[in-house]
Amino acid sequence: QVLLQESGPGLVKPSETLSLTCSVSGGSISVTYWSWIRQTPGKGLEWIGHIYYDGTTTYHPSLKTRVFISLDKAKNEVSLKLQSVGAADTATYFCARLILRQQSHRPTSAWFAPWGQGTLVTVSS
Amino acid sequence: QSVLTQPPSVSETPGQRVTISCSGANSNIGSSTVSWYQHLPGAAPKLIIFSTNERPSGVPDRFSGSKSGTSASLTISGLQSEDEADYYCSTWDDSLNGLVFGAGTKLTVL
């Protein structure tokens, strides 16, 4: 059974970089895709981006100038870095395994399972 | 503002059936399958439907999904108090070149 656990600072100052780690147990990250998703207070879920085991990344257009997702295969971890954070980046951040099916290089089916429990990050001075 | 539109809340009594809608566009629901997630506050979201109408192992057959055109639905029959949670739909969006979610629907079992 694959389990995911997010970790990182719960408080980040405005303009600084948010850094989170997702530790994966029960399976290798050297298969499929891995994703970060966030939930802002009182609002719904927002996909941040994902990374394939070969290192290929895809990011949300509104975040792509600030976000970086990477893999540490030795530690079986997935990392998220979000630069120049502001109050709008205050959220609960989840990592999840992403299953992505494609036809002619176009995604036609995608789902997240399992998810981590999430970690709350507050941006405040 | 979410790309996919869900009702903010639905409610029904135990034993009854409830349907949660998810409305999108040709660039998302109209051209990709839909997944659904159950989320209890403080817990990890749980996949309950993938590929529009498939259930992962362990999810009761009381949960079912469907799609027509640019809209999808999650139906829960034989409602139980433990089904009270937030439910989210999700799919791939060609315009975004990424994944999108609905804003979520809070299910209350009266």
Side-chain angles (χ1 to χ4, degrees):
Chain A
Q1 180 187 6
V2 175
L3 296 175
L4 290 74
Q5 180 65 59
E6 305 88 348
S7 62
L11 181 65
V12 180
K13 290 182 169 55
S15 81
E16 295 191 344
T17 296
L18 178 160
S19 295
L20 297 176
T21 298
C22 175
S23 299
V24 179
S25 60
S28 172
I29 63 170
S30 296
V31 293
T32 197
Y33 297 84
W34 303 89
S35 187
W36 285 94
I37 300 141
R38 68 183 181 181
Q39 181 176 32
T40 50
K43 295 188 178 180
L45 299 167
E46 179 182 43
W47 166 76
I48 296 170
H50 58 256
I51 185 168
Y52 195 40
Y53 72 89
D54 67 357
T56 305
T57 53
T58 304
Y59 300 130
H60 194 293
S62 70
L63 298 171
K64 67 178 182 179
T65 61
R66 301 193 290 132
V67 68
F68 181 69
I69 297 175
S70 61
L71 300 173
D72 186 331
K73 293 181 180 178
K75 294 183 178 180
N76 220 41
E77 294 177 344
V78 186
S79 295
L80 169 71
K81 292 189 186 301
L82 183 63
Q83 300 175 323
S84 305
V85 297
D89 296 311
T90 292
T92 296
Y93 287 77
F94 298 94
C95 61
R97 182 177 60 182
L98 169 65
I99 307 300
L100 192 65
R101 304 288 189 225
Q102 304 188 67
Q103 290 183 356
S104 302
H105 304 290
R106 178 191 166 274
T108 56
S109 189
W111 62 92
F112 300 100
W115 297 57
Q117 287 205 309
T119 185
L120 175 62
V121 179
T122 301
V123 178
S124 175
S125 55
Chain B
Q1 191 168 353
S2 300
V3 172
L4 305 179
T5 301
Q6 297 181 236
S9 63
V10 296
S11 60
E12 189 50 89
T13 53
Q16 297 303 305
R17 182 173 65 184
V18 68
T19 297
I20 298 172
S21 61
C22 176
S23 179
N26 287 328
S27 64
N28 44 64
I29 293 178
S31 53
S32 298
T33 67
V34 178
S35 58
W36 290 90
Y37 305 88
Q38 179 189 64
H39 188 207
L40 291 163
K46 176 186 175 183
L47 175 72
I48 54 172
I49 295 289
F50 67 97
S51 294
T52 300
N53 55 16
E54 301 286 337
R55 281 187 312 277
S57 173
V59 174
D61 59 6
R62 302 185 294 105
F63 292 86
S64 62
S66 63
K67 185 180 89 164
S68 178
T70 59
S71 292
S73 296
L74 171 71
T75 297
I76 309 171
S77 58
L79 267 177
Q80 300 180 4
S81 58
E82 67 206 50
D83 298 332
E84 191 164 283
D86 295 324
Y87 291 86
Y88 295 87
C89 58
S90 177
T91 188
W92 181 268
D93 189 291
D94 287 334
S95 298
L96 184 72
N97 191 37
L99 288 125
V100 292
F101 288 92
T105 298
K106 182 176 181 60
L107 169 63
T108 300
V109 181
L110 300 170

